[in-house]
Amino acid sequence: MSELAVSAAKTGFPNTLRVRPEIVTLAPGGAGVTWMVRVQAAEAWDAVRVECTPDTSVRAVKQAAMALLLPDVAHHEQYLVKLRGAEIVNEGITVQQAGVLPASTLLVTSRRRRPLR
């Protein structure tokens, strides 16, 4: 079996699409259930995989992904998280409460729209 097929089997096919090779790990070492989610930053045109537990907060996933994808951003509250096109308003809830599933994609984007030129 190829390396890509093994990776897709472990993390879910969407998590293998155009992502950085590194995996951000938020799950503790002995965590029983871990999920792999894909976090995409619209402004960076890049994505990263985040390994977390269902009890990890949306805010923690967002901040970990932004540290890698948007390292120059100092104010994380100026960015929002979307799941299936809808904003997750309360980032303090867990990923499971937000409706995130293993292999889901979260979109991190700026709250302010920029004018087209």
Side-chain angles (χ1 to χ4, degrees):
M1 191 180 293
S2 73
E3 184 178 325
L4 180 60
V6 170
S7 177
K10 282 184 175 179
T11 65
F13 179 69
N15 288 329
T16 62
L17 299 174
R18 297 188 314 253
V19 293
R20 289 183 174 203
E22 59 265 29
I23 296 174
V24 177
T25 303
L26 296 178
V33 176
T34 60
W35 289 358
M36 188 73 67
V37 296
R38 182 176 183 264
V39 182
Q40 183 174 347
E43 285 73 15
W45 288 85
D46 204 357
V48 68
R49 291 173 288 184
V50 177
E51 182 180 23
C52 61
T53 64
D55 297 329
T56 305
S57 72
V58 173
R59 182 176 295 114
V61 172
K62 170 184 149 181
Q63 289 175 348
M66 285 183 69
L68 188 62
L69 299 173
L70 301 167
D72 298 334
V73 174
H75 302 287
H76 292 190
E77 65 277 354
Q78 294 177 352
Y79 285 75
L80 57 89
V81 180
K82 289 185 173 185
L83 174 66
R84 292 184 222 102
E87 179 182 357
I88 299 174
V89 180
N90 181 2
E91 294 178 1
I93 63 175
T94 67
V95 290
Q96 187 172 30
Q97 291 170 331
V100 176
L101 299 172
S104 290
T105 298
L106 297 173
L107 178 69
V108 175
T109 187
S110 175
R111 288 190 182 279
R112 296 185 53 181
R113 293 180 54 175
R114 290 173 295 205
L116 295 174
R117 296 181 193 247

